[in-house]
Amino acid sequence: MISVLSLEPGGPESLVLAERPVPSPGPGQVRIRVHAIGVNYPDLLIIEDRYQFKPARPFSPGAEVSGIIDAIGPGVGNFVPGQRVMAMLGWGGMAEYVCAEAQRCSLMPDSMPFEDGAAFLMTYGTSYHALNDRAGLRPEETLLVLGAAGGVGLAAVELGKAMGARVIAAASSEGKLAATRSLGADGTVLYETGALGKDGQKRLAGQFKTACGEQGADVVYDPVGGEYTEPALRAIAWEGRYLVVGFPAGIASIPLNLPLLKSCDIRGVFWGAAIERDAARHVEAVSELLAFYAAEKIKPSIHGLFPLADTAEALKLLASRTVTGKVVITVP
């Protein structure tokens, strides 16, 4: 089979295409003939050795896939060959075949295209865990979403609306904001790019406060970090919940007087660890998300499709931060 391999730490250009043996599923595993692979920001981090997990090399990036089970290992009783599934792997997905723990696989509806399946679990799983399990978002609350046109950002916008919240979407271009409005965002904030400095942060805090209203944001969803965190925290409501989802713009330094003055919580969101610690809740959450999908309240927004041979180009596009929604790799 063909795999995309990381042989040494580096950017997308460091990846190579190579032939590898087709793996055999071990106990509790299924083997999937991959049809589509979701591309996510952690894929960039993991090949640069900047992610929470550092697999031994050589390894393939690719945290989520969709495809068809073609073999099962010992002890697997809930899946059979021929079933269409989507799976969370952590890494290893950028290949024609992968073996996955059965508990990390979910059946796909017959109506769901493989591209949607590969773009589903990471973004909606992360955002639903954040908004539902970590923040307890309630109807009529105000939700401020930073990086609202990225994969997890658009998912947060859709889920916020599906859960009955008032959603304020923030992004770096009018085109991106238009995408959030098409998914139901109630208000938008166009923020500056590049270094903000103290003056830029002050202006941005004012924009957030104006958009969220006098009471502020009950929940802030932050997959951006860096200089954008403090302005958003200044716009949070009394006893609000600030969700730390990611930090492609850098890890923020937060003045701790702000949580005191707002009596607010700062809550970490580590969905990958959460599904390991509570597999039963993961199964429930996927079922709830698929119900939203069936009701047409959520649907992955796919920015572009790439063949497996162009994985490096797909990752470069993601790194450019010009993507609206998800990038997906397809395997014939």
Side-chain angles (χ1 to χ4, degrees), residues 2-326:
I2 300 298
S3 296
V4 175
L5 295 180
S6 174
L7 303 179
E8 59 185 9
E13 68 284 349
S14 69
L15 298 173
V16 298
L17 279 177
E19 285 197 10
R20 302 271 282 180
V22 175
S24 297
Q29 292 186 328
V30 302
R31 187 172 68 202
I32 302 169
R33 171 63 171 95
V34 175
H35 282 264
I37 307 148
V39 182
N40 298 283
Y41 192 72
D43 295 327
L44 289 164
L45 297 178
I46 202 168
I47 64 175
E48 296 175 354
D49 283 354
R50 294 194 296 128
Y51 197 48
Q52 292 95 326
F53 302 109
K54 293 180 173 61
R57 287 186 168 84
F59 71 89
S60 295
E64 60 179 339
V65 303
S66 65
I68 297 175
I69 294 176
D70 79 332
I72 61 172
V76 175
N78 54 334
F79 292 103
V80 297
Q83 288 179 313
R84 304 169 79 249
V85 293
M86 48 190 174
M88 281 302 306
L89 307 171
W91 60 87
M94 292 180 179
E96 292 179 320
Y97 291 86
V98 298
C99 290
E101 300 297 322
Q103 67 180 15
R104 285 176 161 264
C105 299
S106 302
L107 289 175
M108 288 172 52
D110 290 340
S111 61
M112 178 181 275
F114 286 117
E115 290 82 1
D116 280 8
F120 194 82
L121 286 175
M122 178 75 83
T123 51
Y124 290 112
T126 297
S127 296
Y128 193 54
H129 173 64
L131 298 178
N132 188 72
D133 300 347
R134 299 295 292 136
L137 180 67
R138 297 182 289 270
E140 308 302 325
E141 286 192 315
T142 296
L143 167 65
L144 172 61
V145 180
L146 307 189
V152 293
L154 280 178
V157 170
E158 287 183 281
L159 287 168
K161 293 302 298 178
M163 296 167 72
R166 172 177 173 257
V167 178
I168 307 300
S172 60
S173 75
E174 286 292 352
K176 292 180 177 181
L177 293 179
T180 70
R181 286 191 288 268
S182 73
L183 296 178
D186 299 284
T188 56
V189 173
L190 176 64
Y191 51 61
E192 301 173 28
T193 57
L196 296 177
K198 287 299 180 183
D199 289 343
Q201 285 184 305
K202 186 176 180 179
R203 287 193 299 272
L204 185 57
Q207 289 178 269
F208 287 151
K209 289 176 181 178
T210 298
C212 292
E214 184 177 350
Q215 299 303 315
D218 299 289
V219 175
V220 177
Y221 182 96
D222 182 4
V224 179
E227 292 184 294
Y228 301 89
T229 295
E230 184 179 330
L233 186 58
R234 288 185 180 278
I236 202 166
W238 175 258
E239 295 186 342
R241 290 89 76 200
Y242 197 103
L243 299 171
V244 181
V245 183
F247 21 81
I251 297 174
S253 296
I254 300 171
L256 289 180
N257 63 311
L258 295 179
L260 183 153
L261 292 172
K262 296 297 185 81
S263 192
C264 66
D265 296 344
I266 298 175
R267 303 183 183 182
V269 178
F270 192 177
W271 177 67
I275 64 176
E276 289 288 338
R277 292 171 177 266
D278 193 347
R281 173 57 195 146
H282 173 57
V283 172
E284 291 176 350
V286 172
S287 178
E288 292 161 12
L289 287 169
L290 287 174
F292 282 135
Y293 182 87
E296 299 183 350
K297 292 185 177 181
I298 62 174
K299 181 176 173 58
S301 298
I302 297 177
H303 182 97
L305 302 173
F306 288 79
L308 188 63
D310 290 344
T311 293
E313 296 307 312
L315 284 164
K316 289 176 184 177
L317 178 62
L318 186 67
S320 72
R321 297 178 66 182
T322 60
V323 170
T324 300
K326 289 291 291 279

